[in-house]
Each structure stands twice: as structure tokens, then as C-alpha cells.
Amino acid sequence: MSFQQQFKCVLPNGIHARPASLLESVCNPYCCDISLHNLRNGNVGNAKSMLSLVSTDTLLNDEFVLMFEGEDSQTAMLALTQFMNERFPYCDDEIAPLEAQREIPIPQSLSRHKPFLLHGKSLVNGIVKGKLVASSEADLSLFLAHSSVDAGPSFQQVHGAVVAELEAEKLQASGKESEILSAHLSILKDREFLAYIEEQLAHQSIAHAILAALESFKAMLERSNSQYLRERVLDIKDVALRLLVSAYPNVNIEQQSQLSEATILLARELTPSQFLALDKRYLKGLVLSDAGSTSHTVILARAFDIPTLVNVDYELCHAELNSDVYLDCLLGVIAIKADENVSVYFERALKLQQQQKQRFSEHTDKLAITSDGHELEIAANIACSIEVAPAIKGGAQGVGLFRTEMLFMDRSEAPSEECQYQEYREALIAAQGKPVIIRTMDIGGDKPLDYLNLPKETNPFLGYRAVRIYPQFLELFHSQLRAILRAACHGAAKIMIPMVHNVEEIRWVKQQISLVEKQLEEAGLEYNNSVPLGIMVEVPATVFIIDKLAHEVEFFSIGSNDMTQYLLAVDRDNDAVSSLYNSLSPAFLRMLGQITSVAKQYGRWVGMCGELAADPKILPLLVGAGLDELSMSSPNIAKTKQQVAGLSFLECEALYQQACECSTRAEIEMLLNEAISKRSALPLLDESCVFTQLEVKNKEEAIQALVGNIGVFGRCQNALLLEEDIWAREEIFSTGLGNGFAIPHTKSDNIEHSTISIAHLNNAINWHSDSGNVDFIIMLTLNKAHSDQHMQIFSKLARKLIHEDFRGQLKAATEPSEIITILQNELFSS
Ligand code: PEP
Ligand code: MG
């Protein structure tokens, strides 16, 4: 007996693993053979095998027929028809398009070239190019070498063990993870998959059989037109790997990522020690599918200035392995399959970035002094001694935060006193006499250590962490103190205690230091008995007793990461409240002044070592609040020094006072914007913004080059936003004026120093206007505050350009200074 029924696929992602396993489970109870015939591509699959169903490549709107052959085929057909009409259409959610995560608009100089972009969230800025390589990708062929004699468990035992393992994991899992484990379980139990392996086992080893099955199903899926289905190959690989690891437990597949060329590393997650083991000469960028913005791997990536993108779809990226990609963490994208236009965009973006770095580096060896002579110290945050030398080279005036807990993580037992002594000593020597603030271990909370067996907590950030655990792990604390005091003979060490919230805690710490000094004395070991002691100000309670604490310690450093979360009661690692995690609140700002004013009365200095210390927007407020030191990841140091040089201390103080009187964050932001536009302006016409021989092939390149250059010379904070304003104008009407001239223009909030940029092009380009090609561009980017000038300059220029001799003069000029003089005379002399 045979029956058949035709259907249409209404699932947005086609019949992929999840709907296929549901369909399989509905078909399985019937004895008859059930097959799916795709009428678009002619593929046929066994409807009782999820993998076989997936391999039919049935996509949205495909017509297909279900065929039933055998005893109960009529009953099966009726049941399946009902299932197909009632349940199947609703069994899969549409996958949210990746664009949903986008934060910064893609500039039109890029988007007009229709690039392939994968989006994510940028945690460390920068643009890089490299080969996309997966971290520790297991080399499955290693198993073949061990499979000459299968003396271990039988395939049935291996299979049973892996099913049990996955089921146990699934019990612990929830959400997406649980769904993925279910999908993997159905692959593991798939009839066709198992039948294929069994067939191979008749004449091959277990490793060969599993790998042959993997290859066969991989080939089937890779033929699919759907990218989504092609990417399911990874799930089959995962399952195959689990089987192989279980069959050959002695094979070591944990390969270190050996990098040998410029690499952008892709990983689902990366531990701090895995990150540290990577060769930084070749590691250009990191792409992680999952990591929080204050996770310690990300903090390390920031310290090493490795552009990092997170929340990226791992599988979409994985499909591009081993190809050259551009990682642009300003835009939050990875550009894959870049064609010539897209490559030209990114190569120019890389060059602009390089020019900007070059400009910041002029400040590396300078002091951070405001225009009216107020000096701040700019120090580095580090996590291990090897970071000190590059930080000092990058302009750090010391180490403001040495996060020592990183030495304790990713190992099976605590580092010995000797090992710590060496590490601190090396850091102090590398600092060449500059101060190094060694923070004692900040363990617990978000930084658990398996070997301490700390209890699981509902509220770890409010729980057993940092100074609070020291009494229980007294010997561990003592050995760290001994290591610091001994190392302090080799440089200017200071000790800083995390999470202190009252005077009792710091008095207890001081008793421990005395005790340890006695121990060192008795042991006849050399140590420094006058190491300055300070605390992190990161628990709001300390703010109200700074006077009392000032009697106990010599310095304070504000941990803005924790202080923001505790002051505002917003978990720093919880995405759901991330929009509330913002230090630009009147409460936070007022708190800063309270700390500095009281600390100063007692002659104590105050630094800041959280992420906020490197925020250029907030810098005038930190200066105005009276902070003495700012400590940050080293790539930000030269830039911050340059920014400090452009500020006036008196103005910052006044601005800070005004900000403290604001009621809302929006008011503070407005105040900061106004202050920017008031700061002493650079000249409208300057040689740095004139190109006499610009080589570009199209309008997109020209606008990117001119606006990017404005960013390089610090005339705007965000060139990408300014570019949007220029294009917005172009969209209303093209700014080609004829005779080879164009005047793109905008009045905008995104330019701090109004600028006229000029470019004489080597070749005429299509400006997409009725007035023909263009080889001379005069771009006006004027701040909204100067908007009265905007129309004046534009209309004057347009009038002048009617005259052939004026045009001739401009085109004949070979030096930027000549062009400036011509424009100066014609536009601004009365
Ligand atoms: C902070 O809380 O701001 C800080 C610097 O410490 P951590 O980020 O290590 O908790
Ligand atoms: Mg902290």
C-alpha cells in the first residue's frame, strides 16, 4: 500500500535540525517507510532520519511530497497531514537578523559597496586585517593514528557513554544550550548516521567509521543552498568529536594555537591564560561569540590593544575560517569576502588609524599637563609583569593597578610565595623606579577559583570576595604580602587592598602586614618595611568615611567599575541592565568631588583605575573633580595625555561644578557637548586639510579620505558620524557644481573645529550629479554653533566658482599653502 501527500515548506529557515528532529519523531512510531521528496531540487530523504531530512535541503516555499509505503501508510499519512497543517508551521522561530545588534551606522563610503559584514559588539577598539583562525580547533585526524588496533571500548559502549553524557549535560542546561544539546542528541541517535557507522565498522576502525560518517553527512549539508543548513556541519563535527574522545581517551587534542601570520582569532570563549599563551606578534584581533565587557580576558585584550568583537555568531564566522578578513571594532563588524572596493575602504581606514596613532604618539613621553599648568599622573593597568615594559614605553608614569588575581587563575593550586616574588620583582624592575601599585588578590565575586572551594552564591558581587576572604585563607594572604614586601626592595612598590568597606578591615590588614614583617625578620629575609598602603574606593560606604580611612592609609584609588555597579545597584555583567550602567550620573559625579575634597584635606592623593579613567568624553569632569592620577590600559595613555593638554584646569573645575548641578544624564551630556564647541577652535583653513594630488576612484573614497583626515587631526571626535551628515546632504541633492568642482557640506554637531577641506584629485570621478565629473572638492564641515557662516561661505564660494580665472587659479596651485592663500583672500578678505 502506498500514499502520498504534497506540502509547502513555510519555515523561514527551511527544514533544519530542529524541525527535522520533530518531523522524525512524528514519523518514527509508524512501521511504513516514509520519505520526503523535494520537488524543487529532486532530493529525497528518509523522514525517519533527521540528518537525511536536513540533507534534502528543503527551504522556505519549497514544495515537497511525503510518500508512505507499507502496512500502516494510510494511518501515517492522515496523522502526518494533520501534523503538517497544525504543528509544523509553528515549530521554529525565525532567527533574528544580525543587523539587530548593530550600534554604529555603517558609513556610506562602505555600505554603498555592498560589503558582507558580520556584526557584533566591540569591546576593544581598532581596525585590523588578518587570517581568521579558530582557537584550538581539534585535529580529528589525530584519532586515526591511534586506531590501528581498537583495543578499547566497543562502539556501542562509546555511543552509550556519550548519550549518557549529553543527557546529563542537558539536565543542567537551559535555553539555547539545552536546545543545542537536544539537537546533538538527535544526531547521535539518528538512524541514518548510526547505520552508516555500523556499516563502516564491518571493515574499519571506530575512528575511521566515525570520520567517514562525518565526511558523508558534511558533504550532503554543504550542498545546501541555505547558509544556515551548511553551518549545521559544525554540530555533526561536535558529536563526532565527542564520540572520538570517548573512544580514544588517550589522544590529546588540546592543541595550542600556534600563530605564524597576522591572525584574527575566533573562539566561543577564551580563558585569560589561553589568551596570554597566544603569540602577540601575530595576534591582531579577537572574535568571541560570548564575553562580557569587563570579563578579564577582555580586560587583557584591552591591555594588549587587541581589537575585540563579541556576541558574534560563531557559526557564521566559522564558515569563513582561513580566509583573510577585516575586523573593524569601530563599526563592530567583520568584513568577509571583501571585493576590491571594500578592500580599498578598509585599507584606507587602516591608514587613517595609523596616522591617528602616530599623532597620539607625539605625546607618549610628555607629561599630562593642562594648558594652565595643572599636572595629572597617567598610569597603566596591568595583569602580569610582561605588560610593564610596553606600558612604560607607551608613556605610563607607573602602574596604577596590578591585578594580581590573574596570577591565581587558570591553575590547579595557588602560586607559591617564590613564584609571586619573582613576578612582582620583574614588574618593579621593568617599571624602572616608577611606582607600581600591587593590588592584593581580588578573588571571589566574578573571579572564582576552583581550588579554594568558595561557596556558590546567589549574589556573588555582594558576597564573599577580595578582602573578605583573607581571614579564611590567611596563609595565602600572608604569602602574597611576604612576596610583595620582599620584591619591594627592587622598586617603588605600593600595596592596595580591594573591596574595603570599613576601618576595621584596613586595621586588620595592617596587623597582618606587621605580623608578616616579623616573620620575614625572623627568617632573615630582605624586605622593605615602608611600603605605602592604600585602598580601592569601590564600595559606596567608604565615601562617607574617607576622613577616617585617611588616618589609616596613604592613598585611594577609585575602582569605577565596581563603584558604578554598587552606587547605582546595577550589575556590571548583566546585559539586561547594561543601559543603566553609566557613570555619567549626577550621583556618581558628586561622589567623586566628595572623595577628592576630603582626601585632600588629609593630604592623601586620589587616583582612578576603573575603565572610566580612559573615557575621553568624561575626562574634563575627572580633571575638574580633582583626581591626581588616572590609570588605564596602556593603549589609551598617549591619547589621554594629548587630551589633557587640550584642557584648561580652571574650565574643567567650573564644568565639573555645573555638571554636579545637573539633574539628569542628558543634561550632563548636553553640557559636555556645549563645552566642546566652546573650546578654542582650530583655524577654518589649514594645510593639514588640503590634498593637492588625491588618488581616489570614486565619490565614496573621496568622502572617506576627507572626513577621515578631519578625524586624524582631532577636529572631530567621531569621523563616522560626521560622514553620515555629509551623505545626508548629498542625498537631497548632489553637490557637483559643474566645471569639475563639488562642494559637499554640512553644519553639524559632529564637528568640533569647523573646517574647510580641499582636494585636487589626480583623476576626475563620477560625482553622480547632472554637472559632470569632479576633480576638485571643497568640503565644508561647520559646527552648528557657527551655522551663520555656513550659507555665507557656501554661497560666496559658489559665486566665485562661476569665474573661470578663480577656478584656474585653484587648479593651477601645486602647494597646499597656495590654495589656502587663494581661499583666504577670496572668501574672508573684505
Ligand atoms: C574596579 O572595580 O573599577 C576595578 C578597577 O577593579 P576590577 O575591575 O578588577 O574589579
Ligand atoms: Mg573592583
Side-chain angles (χ1 to χ4, degrees):
M1 244 201 291
S2 75
F3 291 88
Q4 66 177 59
Q5 187 71 35
Q6 187 166 332
F7 303 95
K8 181 172 174 178
C9 177
V10 292
L11 304 178
N13 295 303
I15 302 186
H16 65 87
R18 199 154 10 115
S21 48
L22 182 65
L23 181 54
E24 173 207 81
S25 68
V26 177
C27 293
N28 267 334
Y30 301 97
C31 313
C32 59
D33 288 337
I34 310 176
S35 53
L36 184 150
H37 298 243
N38 183 320
L39 300 182
R40 173 179 60 86
N41 54 24
N43 290 343
V44 180
N46 177 353
K48 292 183 178 178
S49 156
M50 181 267 276
L51 288 177
S52 186
L53 280 171
V54 168
S55 71
T56 59
D57 195 16
T58 303
L59 306 179
L60 176 66
N61 295 329
D62 277 0
E63 301 278 349
F64 64 89
V65 169
L66 284 182
M67 295 231 186
F68 304 82
E69 289 217 33
E71 237 179 73
D72 53 0
S73 45
Q74 188 171 18
T75 331
M77 184 200 66
L78 291 173
L80 261 294
T81 306
Q82 189 181 7
F83 166 79
M84 279 297 178
N85 293 332
E86 291 173 11
R87 281 182 61 202
F88 201 63
Y90 311 105
C91 74
D92 194 24
D93 303 331
E94 188 159 5
I95 291 174
L98 278 166
E99 272 72 12
Q101 297 170 15
R102 211 166 85 188
E103 285 167 4
I104 306 171
I106 302 297
Q108 297 205 27
S109 52
L110 174 61
S111 63
R112 286 167 167 247
H113 297 308
K114 309 225 175 329
F116 291 102
L117 302 175
L118 305 177
H119 296 265
K121 181 173 159 194
S122 298
L123 293 185
V124 184
N125 261 338
I127 309 173
V128 285
K129 177 188 183 177
K131 187 164 156 186
L132 191 65
V133 170
S135 153
S136 301
E137 180 70 356
D139 176 4
L140 300 189
S141 65
L142 285 176
F143 292 95
L144 295 178
H146 288 71
S147 65
S148 49
V149 209
D150 275 339
S154 68
F155 179 74
Q156 281 67 28
Q157 288 170 317
V158 167
H159 183 257
V162 175
V163 169
E165 178 185 301
L166 271 171
E167 276 170 349
E169 279 177 34
K170 197 173 161 245
L171 278 181
Q172 303 290 323
S174 57
K176 267 268 171 287
E177 188 184 347
S178 169
E179 276 177 29
I180 292 170
L181 290 170
S182 298
H184 286 195
L185 267 169
S186 41
I187 294 174
L188 201 54
K189 294 178 182 172
D190 190 273
R191 289 175 186 224
E192 298 268 317
F193 185 63
L194 287 177
Y196 194 96
I197 293 179
E198 293 292 351
E199 199 185 304
Q200 301 293 315
L201 280 173
H203 50 93
Q204 296 209 69
S205 70
I206 296 180
H208 281 94
I210 294 171
L211 289 175
L214 171 62
E215 282 311 310
S216 157
F217 285 91
K218 189 172 143 198
M220 263 197 249
L221 289 179
E222 280 176 348
R223 282 197 294 272
S224 169
N225 283 328
S226 147
Q227 189 177 7
Y228 186 89
L229 291 182
R230 285 197 303 275
E231 282 148 12
R232 296 312 99 200
V233 168
L234 209 62
D235 296 309
I236 305 183
K237 255 194 194 163
D238 260 358
V239 170
L241 182 63
R242 278 185 188 258
L243 288 169
L244 289 164
V245 168
S246 175
Y248 305 96
N250 296 329
V251 177
N252 178 15
I253 44 124
E254 275 307 309
Q255 297 288 301
Q256 184 71 322
S257 282
Q258 300 283 0
L259 313 181
S260 57
E261 60 188 307
T263 298
I264 291 170
L265 193 80
L266 170 69
R268 288 187 196 276
E269 49 189 14
L270 202 66
T271 67
S273 57
Q274 275 177 314
F275 174 86
L276 288 172
L278 293 164
D279 189 338
K280 306 296 178 305
R281 283 174 306 167
Y282 300 119
L283 182 67
K284 299 296 170 205
L286 265 189
V287 178
L288 305 173
S289 50
D290 199 16
S293 61
T294 48
S295 96
H296 285 85
T297 300
V298 171
I299 285 171
L300 281 177
R302 209 167 284 159
F304 282 90
D305 200 14
I306 306 288
T308 300
L309 196 67
V310 302
N311 296 355
V312 182
D313 188 310
Y314 181 86
E315 289 164 17
L316 288 180
C317 278
H318 202 274
E320 301 302 324
L321 279 191
N322 297 321
S323 62
D324 280 331
V325 299
Y326 292 96
L327 174 64
D328 185 333
C329 290
L330 298 175
L331 300 177
V333 297
I334 308 170
I336 55 171
K337 303 183 176 70
D339 63 14
E340 196 192 328
N341 282 333
V342 173
S343 298
V344 167
Y345 169 86
F346 280 107
E347 293 298 333
R348 176 166 277 111
L350 282 165
K351 193 168 141 214
L352 289 166
Q353 172 184 257
Q354 185 51 34
Q355 289 173 336
Q356 191 159 45
K357 278 192 180 162
Q358 183 63 37
R359 275 183 46 79
F360 291 145
S361 71
E362 289 162 17
H363 286 261
T364 305
D365 298 322
K366 294 189 181 157
L367 296 174
I369 305 183
T370 58
S371 56
D372 48 356
H374 178 81
E375 188 181 337
L376 260 93
E377 215 169 292
I378 310 292
N381 289 354
I382 62 158
C384 54
S385 61
I386 51 163
E387 288 180 74
V388 180
I392 300 289
K393 206 164 150 232
Q397 294 166 276
V399 170
L401 171 64
F402 183 167
R403 287 185 161 98
T404 62
E405 56 277 6
M406 306 302 277
L407 305 175
F408 291 72
M409 296 170 95
D410 299 308
R411 47 197 301 157
S412 53
E413 54 182 20
S416 65
E417 177 182 327
E418 200 51 35
C419 158
Q420 290 186 63
Y421 164 70
Q422 292 299 348
E423 179 72 10
Y424 305 146
R425 182 175 167 270
E426 275 164 32
L428 286 160
I429 291 173
Q432 302 161 4
K434 297 189 167 74
V436 176
I437 299 178
I438 304 178
R439 179 175 75 181
T440 52
M441 52 194 184
D442 187 8
I443 287 161
D446 63 332
K447 304 161 194 162
L449 278 192
D450 285 349
Y451 55 84
L452 293 189
N453 284 324
L454 295 170
K456 268 228 162 321
E457 298 173 282
T458 340
N459 240 327
F461 275 122
L462 296 184
Y464 203 42
R465 64 176 289 207
V467 68
R468 300 171 183 187
I469 71 162
Y470 296 171
Q472 184 187 345
F473 300 98
L474 198 57
E475 187 36 42
L476 204 60
F477 184 46
H478 282 182
S479 73
Q480 181 168 39
L481 289 176
R482 282 194 298 268
I484 300 174
L485 296 182
R486 287 173 55 205
C489 296
H490 302 277
K494 297 182 185 185
I495 295 178
M496 180 156 73
I497 310 295
M499 285 291 290
V500 168
H501 83 286
N502 62 18
V503 169
E504 290 88 325
E505 276 168 340
I506 199 67
R507 285 195 181 150
W508 178 84
V509 166
K510 284 160 76 177
Q511 280 169 7
Q512 304 313 307
I513 294 178
S514 303
L515 234 151
V516 159
E517 285 179 342
K518 232 183 252 147
Q519 291 170 356
L520 290 168
E521 199 74 55
E522 282 164 15
L525 290 166
E526 205 192 354
Y527 74 98
N528 183 338
N529 65 1
S530 55
V531 178
L533 178 67
I535 60 165
M536 302 268 310
V537 177
E538 53 185 347
V539 179
T542 51
V543 179
F544 303 95
I545 52 166
I546 288 287
D547 54 338
K548 302 292 173 199
L549 290 163
H551 289 300
E552 308 290 336
V553 297
E554 290 175 49
F555 66 91
F556 299 104
S557 184
I558 301 169
S560 57
N561 302 343
D562 275 317
M563 183 56 102
T564 305
Q565 76 164 344
Y566 293 135
L567 186 73
L568 308 180
V570 176
D571 183 342
R572 69 195 247 187
D573 281 344
N574 182 342
D575 276 351
V577 288
S578 61
S579 63
L580 303 177
Y581 185 91
N582 194 306
S583 316
L584 207 55
S585 74
F588 189 91
L589 294 182
R590 287 182 178 193
M591 178 203 67
L592 290 183
Q594 187 160 339
I595 300 169
T596 53
S597 61
V598 179
K600 273 200 178 87
Q601 283 170 30
Y602 291 85
R604 301 288 179 248
W605 73 259
V606 183
M608 176 179 279
C609 59
E611 301 302 305
L612 194 67
D615 189 329
K617 196 164 153 205
I618 299 182
L619 183 67
L621 297 178
L622 301 183
V623 174
L627 289 166
D628 299 291
E629 178 240 38
L630 298 174
S631 190
M632 57 195 67
S633 52
S634 32
N636 289 313
I637 289 175
K639 182 169 151 195
T640 305
K641 285 182 172 180
Q642 189 209 33
Q643 280 154 352
V644 170
L647 298 173
S648 134
F649 182 55
L650 285 179
E651 279 173 23
C652 289
E653 275 190 322
L655 189 68
Y656 171 74
Q657 294 304 339
Q658 278 177 286
C660 286
E661 292 311 312
C662 289
S663 305
T664 63
R665 181 168 130 194
E667 284 177 28
I668 300 175
E669 299 215 6
M670 206 148 78
L671 189 70
L672 289 176
N673 285 341
E674 277 170 18
I676 288 171
S677 68
K678 277 193 213 139
R679 251 174 242 146
S680 57
L682 297 171
L684 198 57
L685 281 163
D686 191 82
E687 289 183 29
S688 60
C689 300
V690 180
F691 297 83
T692 48
Q693 295 184 343
L694 187 65
E695 182 66 47
V696 289
K697 291 201 182 60
N698 48 48
K699 183 172 176 178
E700 289 78 14
E701 270 192 62
I703 288 182
Q704 182 197 12
L706 288 181
V707 179
N709 183 64
I710 289 179
V712 167
F713 285 94
R715 289 172 163 258
C716 70
Q717 285 278 349
N718 191 332
L720 298 174
L721 295 179
L722 183 61
E723 200 195 304
E724 280 309 289
D725 296 336
I726 285 286
W727 282 109
R729 192 58 170 212
E730 291 297 317
E731 241 141 56
I732 303 171
F733 59 84
S734 176
T735 54
L737 290 189
N739 298 310
F741 279 81
I743 315 182
H745 56 283
T746 179
K747 51 175 193 263
S748 150
D749 272 336
N750 293 314
I751 174 98
E752 273 107 60
H753 302 276
S754 294
T755 306
I756 302 182
S757 310
I758 300 110
H760 191 175
L761 311 186
N762 284 347
N763 305 299
I765 55 172
N766 183 351
W767 201 256
H768 303 286
S769 80
D770 298 336
S771 328
N773 287 351
V774 162
D775 66 353
F776 205 103
I777 304 167
I778 304 176
M779 185 175 81
L780 311 181
T781 42
L782 300 187
N783 185 285
K784 270 210 178 123
H786 312 135
S787 57
D788 48 333
Q789 273 187 323
H790 178 248
M791 274 327 283
Q792 266 174 12
I793 299 176
F794 181 81
S795 47
K796 210 164 180 182
L797 244 178
R799 275 200 309 276
K800 298 270 174 196
L801 285 170
I802 297 172
H803 303 291
E804 196 178 342
D805 51 338
F806 177 66
R807 297 196 304 265
Q809 270 181 41
L810 283 176
K811 287 201 180 174
T814 51
E815 293 299 322
S817 56
E818 275 179 76
I819 296 183
I820 300 266
T821 312
I822 298 168
L823 288 176
Q824 195 77 48
N825 288 341
E826 296 291 334
L827 295 179
F828 303 110
S829 59
S830 42

